[in-house]
Amino acid sequence: MGSPGKPARFVRMTVEGAVRFGRIDGDRVALYAGDPIAGAAADGKSVPFDARLLGVPCVPSKILGVGTNYRAHALEMKKPLPDEPLLFFKPPTALLPALAPIVRPRGYQRTDYEGELGVVIGRRARRVRESEALDYVFGYTIVNDVTVRDLQKKDGQFTRAKGFDTFCPVGPWIVSGGGLDAGDLRLVTRLNGVVKQDSRTSDLIFSIAKVIEVASRVMTLEPGDLISTGTPSGVGPIAPGDTVEIEIEQIGTLKNPVVEEAE
Ligand code: MG
């Protein structure tokens, strides 16, 4: 999907108190009449780009994560390599825009960042073949799959560990079209400026297309749905006062501070 030429960057941004869809055009945002994923067009108006006003760039009905999808991460977690993608949900209530604070919950030992490539679905996908799966992609973004590590181990599944409010930072935008190939992009995560993860999406065990094939055999993927494709090695804990930056080449940088949950 998407158009030829340069990739476009789609955002959601607060304009006069309402969250609007738009496309970055130089240092301005061309506003859209509705969701460009649903085919809405620019309405002719524009406003200055302001990163502090960004919203989450898509409105997913569901967010799918993929567990253990990089070999080196499987080793560091002491987990066997999976023979199929391990899929899990994060709730849409966990979504958080760029620059907004991740709230670390109290009472747990370790909450981790996980830098990941995000895939945004562009049209309804049901039982899609791997060879056609990328035709169903609108574009790519960056996700931090924040996780309470001790809860993940204790519960044996991921609902609580990965489901807290603010545990799904996404953004700052969706890069769409322009022939962007997300199959071999460098992903770097920095904690307070120090590199913690440095890998390439070519190290994914299951490709983006394979994950879409497997997921769409189970459930219908709707336009705007988000798939977070898994994290490379180098995961580690976050603490109040920290800043997490996840940079993926040709996409951008997703930055969020960390605060402590209020008593
Ligand atoms: Mg993850």
Side-chain angles (χ1 to χ4, degrees), residues 63-67 69 84-90 158 210-219 221 227-228:
I63 304 158
L64 276 172
V66 185
N69 202 15
E84 286 192 292
L86 172 66
L87 301 178
F88 61 87
F89 282 127
K90 286 172 88 80
F158 301 165
K210 184 66 184 177
V211 170
I212 291 171
E213 178 186 84
V214 170
S216 73
R217 200 180 293 152
V218 177
M219 68 193 80
L221 300 176
I227 301 174
S228 199

Side-chain angles (χ1 to χ4, degrees), residues 73 76-77 102-105 108-115 144-150 152-153 167 189-197 231-245 256-260:
H73 179 57
E76 77 176 347
M77 301 304 288
I102 299 163
V103 178
R104 190 182 72 165
Y108 303 105
Q109 288 174 0
R110 182 170 151 175
T111 298
D112 282 8
Y113 58 82
E114 291 189 358
N144 188 347
D145 176 21
V146 183
T147 303
V148 175
R149 204 60 75 192
D150 36 319
Q152 184 183 17
K153 293 196 179 93
F167 270 27
T189 302
R190 295 183 207 89
L191 183 67
N192 306 321
V194 179
V195 173
K196 297 291 187 180
Q197 297 185 289
T231 201
S233 62
V235 298
I238 52 176
D242 285 349
T243 299
V244 187
E245 285 175 282
N256 297 90
V258 181
V259 300
E260 187 84 280

Side-chain angles (χ1 to χ4, degrees), residues 14-94:
T14 299
V15 179
E16 293 170 354
V19 182
R20 297 284 308 271
F21 289 91
R23 175 177 46 78
I24 293 181
D25 184 11
D27 57 1
R28 299 185 68 81
V29 174
L31 298 176
Y32 273 54
D35 189 343
I37 298 177
D43 70 1
K45 300 188 191 79
S46 76
V47 294
F49 174 75
D50 186 341
R52 297 165 303 179
L53 300 179
L54 286 174
V56 173
C58 55
V59 186
S61 72
K62 51 191 169 295
I63 304 158
L64 276 172
V66 185
T68 325
N69 202 15
Y70 284 86
R71 283 176 189 82
H73 179 57
L75 288 174
E76 77 176 347
M77 301 304 288
K78 299 184 171 61
K79 286 183 177 162
L81 293 188
D83 58 358
E84 286 192 292
L86 172 66
L87 301 178
F88 61 87
F89 282 127
K90 286 172 88 80
T93 41

Side-chain angles (χ1 to χ4, degrees), residues 22 57 143 177 199 205:
V143 178
S199 186
I205 298 172

